[in-house]
Amino acid sequence: MKRILLITGSPGSGKTTLISAVAEDLARFHPSGFLTAEIRVAGVRKGFELKNLDGKRTVLAHSSMESRYRVGRYGVDIAGFEHFLEETFSGDAGAKVFIIDEIGKMECLSAYFREQVSVILEGPVPVIATIALKGDAFIESVKKRDDATLFQLTPGNRDILRQKVLHSALEMVSRT
């Protein structure tokens, strides 16, 4: 069985909802990593917040953020993101599983993020991650790894795929 589970799909397909459910179901294995949440004001998406699995939070991107790093209308806080990653992954030597939401365009603006993801993917610990449907060479290389299973989430397969991913994740992590 493969050691890496990747979940891809269009924005709004439910990738974060799915990986959040997986993280919850794997809580007894003490996963390391982070989840992403939209920041909404009056129903309008204004940015993205990250929350590590220990509860620490940071804003990754916001429409009102001044930054030389931009994706669409969002300024991206690369320095803050890298500090968050250092704190998130610094004590992960005993991690039984890594959860990464997401390997996407904003996150990949950080060379440190790409390096950390590469190290984690090459290690022995199982990885469950969401990944952009389309992306640069780094994103495409992650999706083509021989040791990864790629699930494409759509609104039509959301329920059945959730069960498949949860089953695969539990089976994968239980073997470690």
Side-chain angles (χ1 to χ4, degrees):
M1 178 169 208
K2 298 187 179 185
R3 188 186 56 76
I4 300 166
L5 299 179
L6 300 172
I7 305 155
T8 194
S10 300
S13 62
K15 296 182 301 287
T16 294
T17 300
L18 176 56
I19 200 166
S20 295
V22 170
E24 193 173 301
D25 283 356
L26 298 178
R28 69 181 180 271
F29 296 100
H30 307 288
S32 180
F34 65 90
L35 300 169
T36 304
E38 291 182 350
I39 300 170
R40 290 192 168 266
V41 177
V44 176
R45 186 172 64 199
K46 296 290 185 176
F48 300 92
E49 178 184 57
L50 304 177
K51 182 176 110 175
N52 74 18
L53 300 177
D54 292 329
K56 181 173 175 17
R57 297 173 181 267
T58 194
V59 173
L60 171 63
H62 201 277
S63 58
S64 66
M65 186 178 289
E66 294 294 325
S67 174
R68 67 184 184 114
Y69 301 100
R70 302 203 63 83
V71 174
R73 63 188 176 105
Y74 303 105
V76 183
D77 181 5
I78 298 299
F81 178 46
E82 290 177 350
H83 179 72
F84 172 83
L85 290 173
E86 288 169 3
E87 290 183 347
T88 298
F89 293 129
S90 66
D92 61 12
K96 303 260 192 263
V97 60
F98 285 103
I99 306 283
I100 302 171
D101 180 32
E102 109 173 44
I103 303 169
K105 188 172 184 176
M106 287 182 191
E107 296 82 1
C108 287
L109 291 172
S110 164
Y112 179 75
F113 173 75
R114 289 189 311 272
E115 290 167 13
Q116 289 298 303
V117 167
S118 294
V119 167
I120 289 168
L121 292 175
E122 291 301 323
V125 178
V127 178
I128 303 160
T130 60
I131 191 163
L133 185 60
K134 297 177 184 175
D136 64 10
F138 177 78
I139 290 170
E140 294 307 315
S141 72
V142 171
K143 290 194 296 190
K144 291 178 182 175
R145 290 180 61 97
D146 290 336
D147 55 351
T149 301
L150 181 65
F151 295 96
Q152 185 162 347
L153 188 63
T154 66
N157 72 2
R158 184 179 301 170
D159 294 332
I160 193 153
L161 198 58
R162 178 178 175 164
Q163 293 307 314
K164 284 182 180 181
V165 171
L166 286 171
H167 175 77
S168 295
L170 283 167
E171 187 175 294
M172 183 175 68
V173 174
S174 295
R175 290 183 295 134
T176 61

